[in-house]
Amino acid sequence: MQYLVCSLGSAEPHVKMSVPDYMQCAEDHQTVLVVVQPVGIVPEDQFFKIYKRISSVSQVNIRDSQRLLYIRYRHHYLPENNEWGDFQTHRKVVGLISITTCGSTKEWPQTAERFHGQKEVYSSTLYDSRLLVFGLQGDIAEQQRTDVAFYPSFEDCPDVEKRVDDFVESIFIVLESKRLDRATDKSGDKTPLLCVPFEKKDFVGLDTDSRHYKKRCQGRMRKHVGDLCLQAGMLQDALVHYHMSVELLRGSQRLPVAGGCVGGGKRHRPGALTANGISADTSTEIGRAKNCLSAEDIIEKYKEAISYYGKYKNAGVIELEACVKAVRVLAIQKRAREASEFLQNAVYINLGQLSEEEKIQRYSILSELYELIGFHRKSAFFKRVAAMQCVAPTIPEPGWRACYKLLLETLPGYSLSLDPKDFSKGTHCGWAAVQMRLLHELVYASRRMGNPGLSVRHLSFLLQTMLDFLSDQEKKEVTQSLENYTSKCPGGMEVITLPDGLKLPPVPFTKLPIVRSVKLLNLPLSLRPHKVKGLLGQNMSTASPFIYSPIIIHNRGEERSKKIEFQWVQGDVCEVQLMVYNPMPYELRVENMGLLTSGVEFESLPAALSLPAESGLYPVTLVGVPRTAGNITVNGYHTSVFGVTSDCLLEGLTSVKTSGCLVEVIPSLPRLQLSTSLPRSAHTPQPTSKEELSSTVSVQLFNGEMQPLTITLENIGSEDIETLELTSKTTTTKEKVFGEFLSWDLDEALSHLPLKCGQALTLTVRIKVKLDFSGQESLLQDLNDDGISLTGLPINSPLRHVLKSRSENKTVGSESGRAEYSHIKSLDAVLNFKYSGGAGNVEGYYRELSLGIHVDVEPSVFFTRVNTLPATSTRQCHLLLDIFNPTEHELTVSAKNNQDLVLHASECQRMAIQVDKFDFETLPQPDQETARFTNPKQLEEERQHAQGCQINSNLGICWSIISFQSPTCGGVISENPA
């Protein structure tokens, strides 16, 4: 950065330098400018390949000297900028390297002519030039020329860098010659006046013989020589000339800033600039120079120079470049606040009518410089302005791709990432309103680019990450736009790779709907697998001799914290329950919602659901079928919302509660379906729960009645049923049941095993109820000495007093009397079918199917009085029974070798039966050892039961209801012999 000459007056618009070199930095003042350009038609990729190799030669050690020559390369440089070379020599094009292709000798003359014409453009400042010709072979290519190098192809050119080295040395020779000529110039008063292009008209008519004019010419020449010394690597000499220039111009011009002194003085402290390209030896030499500037002084001089440049509208480019250089220096010194002041000044510098391309370049550079000093949001602002400039209305063909690319580059400045995972790590970062605006612009730019897939991805990202900041109306508009886009290009989970290599990760809709909990459900009780008790320990590790090993538990602690205790079965439908809610202000339709799993092969059965607006927690059950055995992990779920398919993984949803995601799938087992001949009942036997029973049947029986229950078992699974067991359990504990309540013969059913898929078998279970109803009424208070107690005999019944006074065949018709004998008792039992087959049977697993049976028992026959009379034979006696019918039906009572007795409803009659006397002494007695260790009460109950069975077998009393035509066994004779 050098000073601006005095008397900067008004200038013509066409003479000002309107294209700033934004890549300039303070170190560029010591470089020489070399332009590298193609001649004719050269493939772009090949040109820049050679350009990269040429520009790698950025500094050259001059032979026979300790000096370095620094080179700055440009592949595009406006000729009008070259006219400012007298003001600052590093702006002067001193070297030209042309790259061309030539296929034959016939094309060579035209190629040489083009090269000559290219040199003419920069002829006023050019020191030397080179032409690199690719593809030409023959006599011309074999000629040894200094200014032309021939290569067979772009791949076969090994000495390009060596050629450039020689070319740079030739430039140095010319530069050194000019420096010496200017430094030793003794022209005195005839020193030419160096000026900027727009000053030329202002000097017309000036007195060239005045002392003021001569000092101006000498001062500018000293400054020019200082520039040449700086480029030639003689930094101390450059400082001397800059100081001389300042002294000569001090009294003759209004701009006393010697920019060359600033340019050299900044190298006073090598630590101040860490990337200036100056060797340590040279820096040490400069460190010994007098009057060098400190880092703070450099910035002050920049400010001073810029303030003078700002006074001349034609020096806007110089002022802007000076601001850029100052910012780069301050960035190295990590002084961001001062750098931002220079940048703020650069924003308001008026460069006149700029083209749209120049505006884009200016805003882009401002963005890069703000980024350089750490002002990321400011950088993003100007990058976005540049993006909008790419599609300005004044541009005939808007550059939507360039706009999109620049918009992407603004994202970090606004704390915006295109990875949705970055938005699930806590508090939202950045200004949501600005971020939403930027995302909308990305969506629009993508659409104008003709890439609807990008539009869908950005709009999905907007909806997922900014949902909490959208108003209800905005939510509706965004979702409508998304549905319009996805109707043409559905959204998916694939990674989108942009042409520049940037990858856009997928955006799963984890908020549409929001999932709060995930719970794996156990199979229904009838389908749950059970392990054979003897095989429970077979799968346990035998690596350790200890039953309990805390080390093993510690190593598997993490797995156990996630593993579910129950098992699923291969081939059976399994369920996972999700608690979800809809955050949208309108109904949300979710399609194709299913499970994402790993481990065993799993067939997910997708579901579709519709959630009301702001529904609150809503249970959703997702199902699937594991097709193989092993361990399965539920990793998440997939959905399709607004045309966007999403894979939502639980590991990324920190707010989701889950009791575990890993469950074991055992080999397949058969499935049994049960049906019965009795109607189903809603009654649940106590204390079992309804979930434990696959079905429940109810039946109403009279005491002593037997009812057959036909059960049909059908194999509805895919495996054969190979084993079948049946057990029963009476769940009613307060009622004493005499005899077998439930009985069956399983041999016939087992003969049908193995039961193939689709086949069925039947099994008959006999339900026979014998209860003691005597405990519900008062029985007769006393018995005759020869009387006996019978089951069902109400000893203290009030009816006894009625019966005493009535005639023998008198009917008891009072309703109150009947009510005393009409109490209904209940019995509950559970039939349990245990079955297995297939691969699960091999592994020791089985299933259980339970059938609940509920029986309501009504009293059938009461013996109100029992008496005995002697018979003609001493071995026999007459048993007199007063029999009461408490039912509402007419029934018949019969006994062995006796006439039937017909009893009408609520009728009581006497029945005489001649029987042999009972000899209870012949009954088997318990041995002394058993009697000593058995409870006396239990012994007494066993004795009475044996006596009752003997009495029953001898009497053979039966009853039947005539209207039902179903003879059944009658009352059970009880204990207590007289």
Side-chain angles (χ1 to χ4, degrees), residues 788-816:
I788 60 173
S789 174
L790 299 179
T791 298
L793 180 62
I795 296 176
N796 294 325
S797 173
L799 189 61
R800 173 176 177 269
H801 304 287
V802 177
L803 294 175
K804 281 184 178 180
S805 59
R806 69 178 174 86
S807 61
E808 188 170 330
N809 292 333
K810 184 178 179 181
T811 301
V812 181
S814 65
E815 293 296 325
S816 60

Side-chain angles (χ1 to χ4, degrees), residues 75-182:
H75 56 78
H76 179 72
Y77 197 74
L78 294 177
E80 51 265 32
N81 286 8
N82 195 39
E83 297 178 5
W84 289 71
D86 288 340
F87 170 59
Q88 293 173 327
T89 56
H90 71 282
R91 299 181 183 277
K92 187 182 298 185
V93 178
V94 297
L96 173 66
I97 299 178
S98 297
I99 300 173
T100 188
T101 56
C102 188
S104 64
T105 55
K106 294 181 179 180
E107 299 176 5
W108 171 244
Q110 184 179 7
T111 301
E113 183 65 27
R114 288 177 177 174
F115 175 55
H116 179 72
Q118 201 170 50
K119 289 194 294 183
E120 287 296 323
V121 177
Y122 306 105
S123 59
S124 60
T125 59
L126 211 57
Y127 291 176
D128 201 357
S129 60
R130 291 290 186 272
L131 175 63
L132 305 182
V133 183
F134 294 88
L136 183 61
Q137 298 180 2
D139 295 339
I140 297 177
E142 294 175 359
Q143 296 177 4
Q144 297 297 325
R145 299 182 54 174
T146 305
D147 60 337
V148 181
F150 296 96
Y151 297 102
S153 65
F154 286 100
E155 287 74 26
D156 187 10
C157 50
D159 64 341
V160 168
E161 290 82 0
K162 181 61 174 62
R163 292 268 188 177
V164 176
D165 273 339
D166 296 339
F167 171 63
V168 171
E169 288 196 5
S170 70
I171 290 179
F172 174 77
I173 294 172
V174 179
L175 175 64
E176 182 68 6
S177 174
K178 287 183 176 293
R179 183 188 69 81
L180 292 174
D181 289 345
R182 296 292 191 183

Side-chain angles (χ1 to χ4, degrees), residues 43 50 194 482 504 551 567 756:
I50 300 299
L194 302 176
L482 184 58
L504 300 184
I551 299 177
Q567 293 91 26
K756 302 293 184 181

Side-chain angles (χ1 to χ4, degrees), residues 523-529 569 572 669-672 835 847-848:
L523 294 172
L525 198 66
S526 61
L527 297 179
R528 293 176 189 175
V569 179
D572 283 2
L669 288 169
R671 289 186 61 181
L672 201 58
Y835 64 97
R847 277 177 168 157
E848 291 184 342

Side-chain angles (χ1 to χ4, degrees), residues 811-832:
T811 301
V812 181
S814 65
E815 293 296 325
S816 60
R818 184 191 305 173
E820 295 187 33
Y821 298 92
S822 63
H823 180 78
I824 297 179
K825 296 185 178 183
S826 296
L827 282 180
D828 290 315
V830 175
L831 285 175
N832 189 54

